mmCIF file of all heavy atoms in Angstrom:
data_model
loop_
_atom_site.group_PDB
_atom_site.id
_atom_site.type_symbol
_atom_site.label_atom_id
_atom_site.label_comp_id
_atom_site.label_asym_id
_atom_site.label_seq_id
_atom_site.Cartn_x
_atom_site.Cartn_y
_atom_site.Cartn_z
ATOM 1 N N ILE A 1 -29.631 -35.140 -7.753
ATOM 2 C CA ILE A 1 -30.800 -35.734 -7.019
ATOM 3 C C ILE A 1 -32.065 -35.212 -7.900
ATOM 4 O O ILE A 1 -31.934 -34.451 -8.701
ATOM 5 C CB ILE A 1 -30.946 -35.150 -5.658
ATOM 6 C CG1 ILE A 1 -30.795 -33.639 -5.548
ATOM 7 C CG2 ILE A 1 -29.941 -35.866 -4.614
ATOM 8 C CD1 ILE A 1 -30.948 -33.132 -4.151
ATOM 9 N N ALA A 2 -33.152 -36.003 -7.517
ATOM 10 C CA ALA A 2 -34.349 -35.630 -8.073
ATOM 11 C C ALA A 2 -35.038 -34.613 -7.103
ATOM 12 O O ALA A 2 -34.719 -34.493 -5.963
ATOM 13 C CB ALA A 2 -35.254 -36.853 -8.279
ATOM 14 N N PRO A 3 -36.050 -33.879 -7.644
ATOM 15 C CA PRO A 3 -36.837 -32.967 -6.734
ATOM 16 C C PRO A 3 -37.619 -33.785 -5.723
ATOM 17 O O PRO A 3 -37.855 -34.958 -5.848
ATOM 18 C CB PRO A 3 -37.762 -32.256 -7.721
ATOM 19 C CG PRO A 3 -37.226 -32.534 -9.079
ATOM 20 C CD PRO A 3 -36.615 -33.828 -8.994
ATOM 21 N N ALA A 4 -37.986 -33.147 -4.653
ATOM 22 C CA ALA A 4 -38.917 -33.691 -3.596
ATOM 23 C C ALA A 4 -40.282 -34.003 -4.372
ATOM 24 O O ALA A 4 -40.613 -33.368 -5.320
ATOM 25 C CB ALA A 4 -39.184 -32.830 -2.473
ATOM 26 N N PRO A 5 -40.839 -35.148 -4.050
ATOM 27 C CA PRO A 5 -40.777 -35.987 -2.880
ATOM 28 C C PRO A 5 -40.047 -37.347 -3.147
ATOM 29 O O PRO A 5 -40.329 -38.353 -2.576
ATOM 30 C CB PRO A 5 -42.209 -36.306 -2.441
ATOM 31 C CG PRO A 5 -42.946 -36.399 -3.730
ATOM 32 C CD PRO A 5 -42.290 -35.424 -4.666
ATOM 33 N N ASP A 6 -39.125 -37.358 -4.062
ATOM 34 C CA ASP A 6 -38.438 -38.602 -4.428
ATOM 35 C C ASP A 6 -37.827 -39.244 -3.181
ATOM 36 O O ASP A 6 -37.036 -38.640 -2.390
ATOM 37 C CB ASP A 6 -37.397 -38.287 -5.449
ATOM 38 C CG ASP A 6 -36.675 -39.569 -5.870
ATOM 39 O OD1 ASP A 6 -37.147 -40.303 -6.648
ATOM 40 O OD2 ASP A 6 -35.474 -39.685 -5.457
ATOM 41 N N ILE A 7 -38.038 -40.594 -3.032
ATOM 42 C CA ILE A 7 -37.560 -41.307 -1.877
ATOM 43 C C ILE A 7 -36.055 -41.510 -1.825
ATOM 44 O O ILE A 7 -35.426 -41.461 -0.797
ATOM 45 C CB ILE A 7 -38.273 -42.751 -1.759
ATOM 46 C CG1 ILE A 7 -38.196 -43.223 -0.300
ATOM 47 C CG2 ILE A 7 -37.777 -43.670 -2.811
ATOM 48 C CD1 ILE A 7 -39.028 -44.415 0.022
ATOM 49 N N TYR A 8 -35.364 -41.565 -3.055
ATOM 50 C CA TYR A 8 -33.974 -41.655 -3.031
ATOM 51 C C TYR A 8 -33.363 -40.312 -2.567
ATOM 52 O O TYR A 8 -32.266 -40.328 -1.875
ATOM 53 C CB TYR A 8 -33.419 -42.009 -4.491
ATOM 54 C CG TYR A 8 -33.968 -43.324 -5.017
ATOM 55 C CD1 TYR A 8 -33.891 -43.483 -6.316
ATOM 56 C CD2 TYR A 8 -34.479 -44.286 -4.265
ATOM 57 C CE1 TYR A 8 -34.336 -44.712 -7.011
ATOM 58 C CE2 TYR A 8 -34.965 -45.417 -4.698
ATOM 59 C CZ TYR A 8 -34.958 -45.668 -6.118
ATOM 60 O OH TYR A 8 -35.317 -46.843 -6.647
ATOM 61 N N ARG A 9 -33.911 -39.205 -2.901
ATOM 62 C CA ARG A 9 -33.505 -37.943 -2.402
ATOM 63 C C ARG A 9 -33.638 -37.831 -0.928
ATOM 64 O O ARG A 9 -32.653 -37.523 -0.260
ATOM 65 C CB ARG A 9 -34.304 -36.799 -3.065
ATOM 66 C CG ARG A 9 -34.084 -35.487 -2.396
ATOM 67 C CD ARG A 9 -35.228 -34.462 -2.809
ATOM 68 N NE ARG A 9 -35.080 -33.152 -2.177
ATOM 69 C CZ ARG A 9 -34.681 -32.096 -2.898
ATOM 70 N NH1 ARG A 9 -34.206 -32.204 -4.154
ATOM 71 N NH2 ARG A 9 -34.525 -30.949 -2.177
ATOM 72 N N LYS A 10 -34.737 -38.393 -0.410
ATOM 73 C CA LYS A 10 -34.951 -38.338 1.045
ATOM 74 C C LYS A 10 -33.873 -39.214 1.697
ATOM 75 O O LYS A 10 -33.354 -38.886 2.761
ATOM 76 C CB LYS A 10 -36.386 -38.957 1.311
ATOM 77 C CG LYS A 10 -36.721 -38.936 2.877
ATOM 78 C CD LYS A 10 -38.172 -39.585 2.961
ATOM 79 C CE LYS A 10 -38.598 -39.697 4.443
ATOM 80 N NZ LYS A 10 -39.854 -40.176 4.649
ATOM 81 N N ARG A 11 -33.580 -40.483 1.138
ATOM 82 C CA ARG A 11 -32.629 -41.253 1.746
ATOM 83 C C ARG A 11 -31.238 -40.628 1.814
ATOM 84 O O ARG A 11 -30.505 -40.724 2.787
ATOM 85 C CB ARG A 11 -32.465 -42.612 0.905
ATOM 86 C CG ARG A 11 -33.643 -43.579 0.975
ATOM 87 C CD ARG A 11 -33.619 -44.267 2.405
ATOM 88 N NE ARG A 11 -34.613 -45.252 2.549
ATOM 89 C CZ ARG A 11 -35.877 -44.996 2.929
ATOM 90 N NH1 ARG A 11 -36.191 -43.673 3.328
ATOM 91 N NH2 ARG A 11 -36.857 -45.832 3.037
ATOM 92 N N ALA A 12 -30.896 -40.011 0.698
ATOM 93 C CA ALA A 12 -29.525 -39.308 0.621
ATOM 94 C C ALA A 12 -29.431 -38.221 1.684
ATOM 95 O O ALA A 12 -28.441 -38.131 2.391
ATOM 96 C CB ALA A 12 -29.405 -38.771 -0.794
ATOM 97 N N LEU A 13 -30.507 -37.398 1.753
ATOM 98 C CA LEU A 13 -30.357 -36.227 2.735
ATOM 99 C C LEU A 13 -30.404 -36.715 4.070
ATOM 100 O O LEU A 13 -29.674 -36.127 4.957
ATOM 101 C CB LEU A 13 -31.610 -35.240 2.372
ATOM 102 C CG LEU A 13 -31.627 -34.589 1.011
ATOM 103 C CD1 LEU A 13 -32.690 -33.459 1.005
ATOM 104 C CD2 LEU A 13 -30.287 -34.182 0.566
ATOM 105 N N GLN A 14 -31.214 -37.783 4.415
ATOM 106 C CA GLN A 14 -31.221 -38.285 5.804
ATOM 107 C C GLN A 14 -29.868 -38.845 6.171
ATOM 108 O O GLN A 14 -29.373 -38.629 7.308
ATOM 109 C CB GLN A 14 -32.260 -39.363 5.882
ATOM 110 C CG GLN A 14 -33.687 -39.004 5.912
ATOM 111 C CD GLN A 14 -34.640 -40.074 5.891
ATOM 112 O OE1 GLN A 14 -34.332 -41.235 5.442
ATOM 113 N NE2 GLN A 14 -35.901 -39.860 6.405
ATOM 114 N N ALA A 15 -29.186 -39.564 5.270
ATOM 115 C CA ALA A 15 -27.868 -40.202 5.553
ATOM 116 C C ALA A 15 -26.792 -39.104 5.836
ATOM 117 O O ALA A 15 -26.081 -39.219 6.712
ATOM 118 C CB ALA A 15 -27.527 -41.151 4.510
ATOM 119 N N LEU A 16 -26.835 -38.108 4.901
ATOM 120 C CA LEU A 16 -25.815 -37.058 5.011
ATOM 121 C C LEU A 16 -26.049 -36.181 6.301
ATOM 122 O O LEU A 16 -25.049 -35.861 7.014
ATOM 123 C CB LEU A 16 -25.803 -36.248 3.737
ATOM 124 C CG LEU A 16 -25.412 -36.951 2.488
ATOM 125 C CD1 LEU A 16 -25.500 -36.008 1.309
ATOM 126 C CD2 LEU A 16 -23.905 -37.460 2.599
ATOM 127 N N GLU A 17 -27.231 -35.723 6.565
ATOM 128 C CA GLU A 17 -27.564 -34.919 7.748
ATOM 129 C C GLU A 17 -27.279 -35.791 9.074
ATOM 130 O O GLU A 17 -26.666 -35.217 9.988
ATOM 131 C CB GLU A 17 -28.990 -34.594 7.712
ATOM 132 C CG GLU A 17 -29.326 -33.543 6.666
ATOM 133 C CD GLU A 17 -30.782 -33.362 6.518
ATOM 134 O OE1 GLU A 17 -31.654 -34.038 7.104
ATOM 135 O OE2 GLU A 17 -31.157 -32.485 5.699
ATOM 136 N N ALA A 18 -27.569 -37.067 9.109
ATOM 137 C CA ALA A 18 -27.162 -37.790 10.227
ATOM 138 C C ALA A 18 -25.767 -38.008 10.509
ATOM 139 O O ALA A 18 -25.253 -38.016 11.599
ATOM 140 C CB ALA A 18 -27.843 -39.287 10.175
ATOM 141 N N ALA A 19 -24.961 -37.929 9.400
ATOM 142 C CA ALA A 19 -23.479 -38.028 9.510
ATOM 143 C C ALA A 19 -22.848 -36.697 9.610
ATOM 144 O O ALA A 19 -21.567 -36.565 9.769
ATOM 145 C CB ALA A 19 -22.889 -38.854 8.336
ATOM 146 N N GLY A 20 -23.501 -35.582 9.477
ATOM 147 C CA GLY A 20 -22.980 -34.318 9.683
ATOM 148 C C GLY A 20 -22.116 -33.841 8.476
ATOM 149 O O GLY A 20 -21.275 -33.084 8.689
ATOM 150 N N ILE A 21 -22.531 -34.360 7.333
ATOM 151 C CA ILE A 21 -21.785 -34.078 6.135
ATOM 152 C C ILE A 21 -22.495 -33.024 5.309
ATOM 153 O O ILE A 21 -23.672 -33.047 5.065
ATOM 154 C CB ILE A 21 -21.711 -35.302 5.179
ATOM 155 C CG1 ILE A 21 -20.898 -36.430 5.904
ATOM 156 C CG2 ILE A 21 -20.938 -34.952 3.896
ATOM 157 C CD1 ILE A 21 -20.739 -37.752 5.136
ATOM 158 N N GLY A 22 -21.842 -31.874 5.133
ATOM 159 C CA GLY A 22 -22.357 -30.802 4.259
ATOM 160 C C GLY A 22 -22.500 -31.140 2.867
ATOM 161 O O GLY A 22 -21.787 -31.936 2.251
ATOM 162 N N PHE A 23 -23.572 -30.573 2.218
ATOM 163 C CA PHE A 23 -23.827 -30.950 0.803
ATOM 164 C C PHE A 23 -24.497 -29.779 0.148
ATOM 165 O O PHE A 23 -24.968 -28.871 0.701
ATOM 166 C CB PHE A 23 -24.705 -32.201 0.670
ATOM 167 C CG PHE A 23 -25.906 -32.050 1.417
ATOM 168 C CD1 PHE A 23 -27.163 -31.477 0.868
ATOM 169 C CD2 PHE A 23 -26.090 -32.501 2.740
ATOM 170 C CE1 PHE A 23 -28.337 -31.389 1.478
ATOM 171 C CE2 PHE A 23 -27.331 -32.422 3.345
ATOM 172 C CZ PHE A 23 -28.339 -31.781 2.877
ATOM 173 N N ARG A 24 -24.470 -29.822 -1.223
ATOM 174 C CA ARG A 24 -25.152 -28.846 -2.055
ATOM 175 C C ARG A 24 -25.727 -29.631 -3.252
ATOM 176 O O ARG A 24 -25.289 -30.643 -3.634
ATOM 177 C CB ARG A 24 -24.242 -27.760 -2.582
ATOM 178 C CG ARG A 24 -23.125 -28.267 -3.490
ATOM 179 C CD ARG A 24 -22.215 -27.127 -3.921
ATOM 180 N NE ARG A 24 -21.062 -27.668 -4.716
ATOM 181 C CZ ARG A 24 -21.243 -27.880 -6.060
ATOM 182 N NH1 ARG A 24 -22.310 -27.588 -6.778
ATOM 183 N NH2 ARG A 24 -20.179 -28.305 -6.753
ATOM 184 N N ALA A 25 -26.878 -29.187 -3.838
ATOM 185 C CA ALA A 25 -27.380 -29.769 -4.994
ATOM 186 C C ALA A 25 -26.739 -29.121 -6.181
ATOM 187 O O ALA A 25 -26.827 -28.115 -6.547
ATOM 188 C CB ALA A 25 -28.942 -29.493 -4.993
ATOM 189 N N SER A 26 -25.962 -30.083 -6.834
ATOM 190 C CA SER A 26 -25.171 -29.659 -7.990
ATOM 191 C C SER A 26 -25.940 -29.808 -9.309
ATOM 192 O O SER A 26 -25.770 -29.252 -10.296
ATOM 193 C CB SER A 26 -23.841 -30.385 -8.030
ATOM 194 O OG SER A 26 -24.074 -31.737 -8.323
#
């Protein structure tokens, strides 16, 4: 991902958090 405030980053985190999927920034 890109650093904040990138909108693609925001989309990715929103989708994963809504689905309850754990993630890490690799």
Side-chain angles (χ1 to χ4, degrees):
I1 49 177
D6 181 71
I7 197 167
Y8 300 163
R9 171 195 177 101
K10 181 179 179 181
R11 289 285 184 272
L13 301 189
Q14 285 176 337
L16 295 175
E17 289 169 353
I21 297 175
F23 56 86
R24 64 180 177 87
S26 62

